[in-house]
Amino acid sequence: MMIRMKWMIILFFPLGLLAQKKPCSCSLSSILSAGIAAGESPAQPLLQWSGGVNYERFFAGLGAGADWYRFKSIPVFGDLRYSIGKMNSVFVYLNGGYNFPFDTKASVTWDHPFLTTDKYAGGFYMDAGMGYRVRVSGSHNFLLSAGFSHKRISQLTGYTYPCLVEPCPEDLYKKRYDLGRVLTRISWEFNSRAKPKN
């Protein structure tokens, strides 16, 4: 009888610890954003979506978007945010990831008859700034944010000119565009937690 009781204590003791553990104050969030990117090139629109987990003042998630600034591209990134203040109204954010070009190959036009290669490749992407959260309801928030962003696009071009002996050699040129710009965004945030945490 004593041996059986010992085994029951050993088996059910971990369950008792789990039952006494405080529940995690986590929630799921989804953020849909629309904005403008402006810099040396003409201003262009952008769209972004990110989703992840809130824990107290922190948010961590993954996101993707469509960016029309200078070169059309698709950024894929990790999204980190930290809320400040008693009501968590002010927040800072940092996004980092990779930027994929929307078109990997350009078309040959009449004004470049000897263009034989024109390819685009992606590169580093980042976005950092701060914003303000306006609470609409217990689970919906309206966000206004501004920050600085950097995206990289590489272009490989090749020209094959007529020659006397074929095959004619191709002259290759590689350019890298590091595009810094200022972003302003409006966003809609949905939080699965029913009540905002003060």
Side-chain angles (χ1 to χ4, degrees), residues 110-191:
W110 64 270
D111 55 336
H112 293 93
F114 302 113
L115 181 66
T116 51
T117 299
D118 196 354
K119 296 180 180 179
Y120 293 99
F124 175 71
Y125 175 86
M126 68 81 61
D127 175 16
M130 64 185 307
Y132 187 79
R133 177 180 289 108
V134 179
R135 299 203 179 276
V136 178
S137 67
S139 56
H140 295 273
N141 302 311
F142 182 70
L143 311 179
L144 297 171
S145 62
F148 175 80
S149 176
H150 176 277
K151 77 172 185 177
R152 176 177 295 168
I153 292 286
S154 297
Q155 181 183 17
L156 180 66
T157 55
Y159 297 88
T160 303
Y161 299 100
C163 60
L164 296 177
V165 180
E166 294 187 353
C168 299
E170 183 181 31
D171 297 328
L172 293 174
Y173 304 91
K174 187 173 183 179
K175 296 179 182 178
R176 192 177 75 182
Y177 300 91
D178 288 303
L179 306 174
R181 61 265 172 86
V182 175
L183 302 185
T184 55
R185 276 183 296 232
I186 56 174
S187 308
W188 191 265
E189 178 184 48
F190 173 77
N191 194 322

Side-chain angles (χ1 to χ4, degrees), residues 68-120:
W68 283 269
Y69 184 80
R70 185 73 182 271
F71 302 97
K72 290 187 291 184
S73 62
I74 302 172
V76 178
F77 53 87
D79 188 352
L80 298 176
R81 299 172 186 243
Y82 179 75
S83 298
I84 304 169
K86 185 177 180 181
M87 297 297 294
N88 294 340
S89 296
V90 179
F91 62 91
V92 293
Y93 67 90
L94 174 65
N95 298 335
Y98 193 84
N99 184 58
F100 295 91
F102 192 80
D103 295 317
T104 58
K105 188 175 182 180
S107 59
V108 178
T109 58
W110 64 270
D111 55 336
H112 293 93
F114 302 113
L115 181 66
T116 51
T117 299
D118 196 354
K119 296 180 180 179
Y120 293 99

Side-chain angles (χ1 to χ4, degrees), residues 135 137-139 191-198:
R135 299 203 179 276
S137 67
S139 56
N191 194 322
S192 64
R193 186 164 49 208
K195 293 182 179 181
K197 187 177 179 179
N198 295 336

